[in-house]
Amino acid sequence: MEKGKVVLAFSGGLDTSVCIPLLREHYGFDEIITVAVDVGQPEEEIVRATEKGQMLADKHYTIDAKEKFISDCIFPSIKANGSYEGYPMGTALARPLIAEEIVKVAQQEGASKIAHGCTGKGNDQLRFDFIFRSAGYDIIAPMREMNLTREWEICYAQEHNIPVPVAKEKPYSVDENCWSRSIEGGKLEDPAFHPPEEIYAWTVSPKDAPDTMEEIQIEFEKGVPVALNGKRLPGIALIRELNQIAGRNGVGRNDMVEDRILGLKAREIYEHPAATVLLAAHRDLEHLVLTRSELAFKHIVDDKWSELAYMGLVHEPLFHALTAFIDTTQERMNGTVDVGLYKGSVKVLGRSSDAALYSDDLVSFDSKTIDQNYAVGFSHFFGLQARLLKNLKKC
Ligand code: ARG
């Protein structure tokens, strides 16, 4: 039997609530400290976690990490055009930060172990474990170690007077932060099942969205959004407002089969209206500002960055090296992008930047700056080796 203090990553949901009596009764800890980290979950979730933590644990912390989440996780992901298998990561970006905040509490409290409520099937167990192990902590994961089922957890919770938050009629697992909303589980586990409209909370169905295009403007400085429709806003306010605007136009839904780190394929549904718009606008602006070589190489870097971010391997030295490359390219990424939102689609309508590598004088059909005959010399050497080979084959 364990003794001493344990710090538990706490959301106030069924899994982590059940962990509290389990850590006492099954694992024998004397003191359970719960930590909820606010990365932009719905207000009522944070209130629920705080109240339940205070009621059920020996000590509870709620930590506001919203600003840090934007500056340290979301903004770098925008600069990296962060996406995994075609969706803007949300849960993956938040987990390392949540874990780091939990480590801080564990160190401050002198806890001997850290516990979390992840199962043995998902990605979050690996993302959490990596950070906790990097900080030198042993991990307790009751759900994973005891192979618990939801039904058993509900009974155990009822026996321990723990309010059961997941009602039978709402059988989905939802993970939300200000960048994205992930919905999985229940009937959605069948990839052939058509998701009911009720699972969505941030977006209207494109068919119910307005019949006219809504036009907006986003301004970027050094690769991150700083203003929406000409109004300078702090990151969190900008993302929240854009979630509303894009969501009411049905933008930012994703229903996909995803390859988890373990190799399991899983059906996942996401909502990320602001992320969809910001990533589309950012990528478009890069085509105006970066060189062809930078764009081609950055594409590879972005992919690798995203894969490591998805796995939560934020201490991997390669991740730091890729981030440094990305930051260098973003130094000149200033400009504005006009975007049209219409019934679920995002269309860039125009873009401009003082750092544009675009010259309308040079490219224009009417320009006299460049004598078109200059191209003739270039053309003589163009594809030279392929042409030589083709002629060799004729002999
Ligand atoms: N598959 C996603 C990821 O690994 C989302 C997981 C979200 N969790 C949830 N309980 N809905 O990042």
Side-chain angles (χ1 to χ4, degrees):
M1 279 296 227
E2 305 273 353
K3 281 269 170 262
K5 284 187 192 182
V6 61
V7 166
L8 169 67
F10 191 66
S11 69
L14 177 65
D15 289 337
T16 55
S17 299
V18 160
C19 282
I20 299 173
L22 276 177
L23 288 168
R24 243 185 233 123
E25 292 172 5
H26 184 80
Y27 290 89
F29 283 101
D30 309 312
E31 194 174 342
I32 324 277
I33 300 160
T34 45
V35 184
V37 182
D38 183 356
V39 284
Q41 299 91 317
E43 189 57 35
E44 61 276 13
E45 255 183 49
I46 296 298
V47 170
R48 179 191 70 178
T50 307
E51 286 174 358
K52 279 178 109 182
Q54 284 167 348
M55 179 175 90
L56 301 169
D58 298 295
K59 193 168 179 184
H60 174 82
Y61 289 81
T62 294
I63 294 162
D64 183 356
K66 291 195 285 293
E67 296 294 334
K68 217 169 179 329
F69 181 48
I70 306 282
S71 60
D72 296 7
C73 309
I74 294 183
F75 279 2
S77 187
I78 295 173
K79 294 194 227 180
N81 298 310
S83 80
Y84 177 76
E85 295 190 341
Y87 82 97
M89 296 163 284
T91 302
L93 297 176
R95 290 303 186 232
L97 173 64
I98 293 172
E100 299 285 8
E101 294 299 323
I102 287 162
V103 165
K104 280 190 213 158
V105 173
Q107 287 166 340
Q108 190 182 312
E109 288 284 348
S112 57
K113 303 228 164 140
I114 297 182
H116 62 66
C118 300
T119 68
K121 300 214 170 151
N123 294 323
D124 289 336
Q125 53 170 339
L126 302 170
R127 298 167 180 149
F128 275 152
D129 288 359
F130 172 68
I131 301 291
F132 297 149
R133 288 212 167 91
S134 302
Y137 283 93
D138 282 339
I139 293 146
I140 308 229
M143 269 69 238
R144 178 171 70 182
E145 287 158 23
M146 299 173 72
N147 237 323
L148 301 179
T149 64
R150 214 156 186 85
E151 230 161 283
W152 186 92
E153 286 180 28
I154 291 173
C155 286
Y156 186 78
Q158 282 160 348
E159 280 165 21
H160 289 79
N161 291 326
I162 295 172
V164 177
V166 184
K168 281 242 153 39
E169 63 278 8
K170 259 183 127 193
Y172 310 110
S173 161
V174 177
D175 180 68
E176 190 169 319
N177 59 49
C178 50
W179 194 230
S180 99
R181 191 167 170 271
S182 315
I183 314 129
E184 61 184 22
K187 286 189 179 155
L188 303 175
E189 283 176 354
D190 173 2
F193 176 74
H194 295 202
E197 208 39 48
E198 70 186 28
I199 66 162
Y200 297 105
W202 289 9
T203 53
V204 301
S205 167
K207 70 175 166 31
D208 299 327
D211 290 326
T212 48
M213 180 181 274
E214 184 163 356
E215 294 185 13
I216 57 167
Q217 186 183 66
I218 297 150
E219 183 177 350
F220 289 89
E221 274 174 19
K222 296 194 176 194
V224 302
V226 292
L228 177 60
N229 293 332
K231 188 170 63 175
R232 281 187 86 85
L233 289 171
I236 182 103
L238 188 148
I239 287 166
R240 284 197 161 142
E241 194 170 332
L242 191 52
N243 269 333
Q244 300 276 335
I245 296 172
R248 68 178 173 236
N249 285 287
V251 166
R253 286 189 177 184
N254 223 323
D255 177 346
M256 61 184 287
V257 174
E258 171 175 323
D259 292 284
R260 289 188 185 159
I261 305 167
L262 287 171
L264 296 169
K265 283 193 184 289
R267 196 276 188 90
E268 311 267 352
I269 296 178
Y270 300 103
E271 291 184 286
H272 36 69
T276 301
V277 176
L278 290 172
L279 292 176
H282 178 267
R283 197 172 287 115
D284 185 277
L285 188 63
E286 282 193 333
H287 280 265
L288 186 66
V289 170
L290 302 187
T291 65
R292 176 161 67 179
S293 301
E294 280 179 309
L295 284 171
F297 191 64
K298 186 167 183 291
H299 197 73
I300 301 166
V301 172
D302 288 349
D303 266 4
K304 193 69 203 170
W305 188 97
S306 296
E307 189 190 317
L308 292 171
Y310 180 74
M311 294 193 281
L313 291 175
V314 295
H315 295 319
E316 160 64 50
L318 179 62
F319 188 71
H320 295 298
L322 298 176
T323 302
F325 167 82
I326 291 166
D327 283 344
T328 306
T329 64
Q330 300 300 295
E331 282 295 316
R332 346 190 283 278
M333 267 288 291
N334 308 319
T336 56
V337 183
D338 297 334
V339 179
L341 309 170
Y342 179 67
K343 288 194 171 291
S345 75
V346 178
K347 206 170 158 49
V348 171
L349 304 171
R351 70 289 282 162
S352 69
S353 168
D354 290 343
L357 298 180
Y358 184 93
S359 161
D360 48 2
D361 176 46
L362 293 185
V363 82
S364 165
F365 293 119
D366 306 323
S367 167
K368 293 272 182 287
T369 313
I370 286 191
D371 184 338
Q372 292 188 44
N373 281 300
Y374 296 167
V376 177
F378 184 96
S379 162
H380 275 291
F381 290 94
F382 187 61
L384 180 69
Q385 297 180 351
R387 274 162 38 211
L388 285 173
L389 182 65
K390 200 145 192 277
N391 286 325
L392 276 183
K393 281 182 182 159
K394 278 189 193 146
C395 323

